[in-house]
Amino acid sequence: MATKDIVLIALFAALVAALGVVPNITLPMAGGVPITAQSMGVMLAGALLGAKRGGLAIVLFLVLVAVGLPLLSGGRGGAGVFFGASGGFLFGFPVGAFVIGYLFDRHIGQPSFLQGLIYVLIGGIGVVYVFGVPWLATVAEITLWQALVGSVAFLPGDLIKAVLTILIAREVRKAMPNL
Amino acid sequence: MLDLYVEGRSALHRLGPGWKILGLAFSGTVLFAVDHVWLSILWLAISLTLYAVAGLPLWRAWRQIRPALWLFALIFVVQVLLHSWQLGLLVIIRFAVLLLLAGLLTLTTRSSDMIDGLEAGMRPLHRLGVRTESISLAISLTFRFIPVLTSVVHEVREAQSARGLERSVFAIAIPSIIRTLRMSEEISDAIDARGF
């Protein structure tokens, strides 16, 4: 891996951390629903950096959270967050970023808005939930179905983030065509 | 650098991070392998004793559990309706113990020691062809970049607030990301120039 790739991975990991530190970025069109810009970082990492670099950037971010830095939005951090109810979602994040990146990487040319959106939905929601829901079912001793129903509350927010990711990624790529 | 570590001189503070992680993994395995409420209660007592040994007040332990309280309530209700209150109790105690022990690891171990431990643990991978020095470089770069990027995001946010856009995700994310990506070129040239 070239030095530039290592630097990009580290910069993006730090950016995801920084987005969690800055409070109160909300989305006007969602009726004031607070959207933490941080969880969008996972989708953006995949869409902008590609499979390998995007996935590794999120792994690196999570390693720093695990060793005790309060980098998750709301100042949470430490090994405990991985044991919590949403631990599975955290483990799903780097895989989700990888899958998004993979789908973008193998696409020839620029994907259209809809194609990009499908990629982000598969990786950023599909893959992440595949990790998060069984984990929730295991720690809470409930069935997969119950865990899935319990996670549906986050779906509207995640859908909005997926749309935002594509809009942001397209603007960024316009400004920086050769990432 | 911000850290959740709490200064102290107890035996737990001095214990190597590898042992603490091993203890945490062991506890998790045992608690899930043996579904018995008394074992969980025993483990809970041990965990709270360890907090005392580390010289951490009880509110520190409470702070580890507090964010999960709503979930505890939810789990308990579901378990009572579907199975029994005993199972509900077991699940909640087991959950609380893991949060307490993971929290204890974080509170008694410096992030820098954890990273040193991590790098030591990765050394054998070197023989398998993994470039572990790249990983070390990436970790230390991220440490250095977090304050830099926090100020980048703050600056962008202030610039946008002059336009009344300080709460817009687009107006903050797009310029921040572009500035971040532009930085990468110069930084990697600087690192290469120093012969990494």
Side-chain angles (χ1 to χ4, degrees), chain A residues 3 26 60 69 79 140-141 146, chain B residues 2 79 82 94 106 167 192:
Chain A
T3 311
T26 53
L60 189 52
L69 301 183
E141 298 265 351
Q146 289 161 342
Chain B
L2 64 182
Q79 293 299 348
L82 294 176
R94 187 169 65 190
T106 304
R167 295 174 81 80
D192 280 333

Side-chain angles (χ1 to χ4, degrees), chain A residues 75-100:
Chain A
R76 291 174 307 129
V81 296
F82 293 91
F83 290 93
S86 49
F89 291 95
L90 292 179
F91 285 114
F93 280 163
V95 187
F98 180 89
V99 170
I100 294 172

Side-chain angles (χ1 to χ4, degrees), chain A residues 64-71 75-79, chain B residues 1-17 20 54 56 59-60 63-64 102-114 143:
Chain A
L64 294 184
V65 170
V67 300
L69 301 183
L71 298 177
R76 291 174 307 129
Chain B
M1 190 70 204
L2 64 182
D3 192 346
L4 297 170
Y5 173 76
V6 176
E7 209 63 50
R9 304 170 156 276
S10 73
L12 271 168
H13 283 85
R14 277 177 278 131
L15 192 66
K20 287 187 255 194
L56 295 164
W59 65 264
R60 288 276 184 196
R63 283 252 298 252
Q64 306 302 317
L104 191 64
L105 167 70
T106 304
L107 291 169
T108 61
T109 319
R110 279 197 183 84
S111 306
S112 49
D113 291 342
M114 289 275 272
F143 258 101

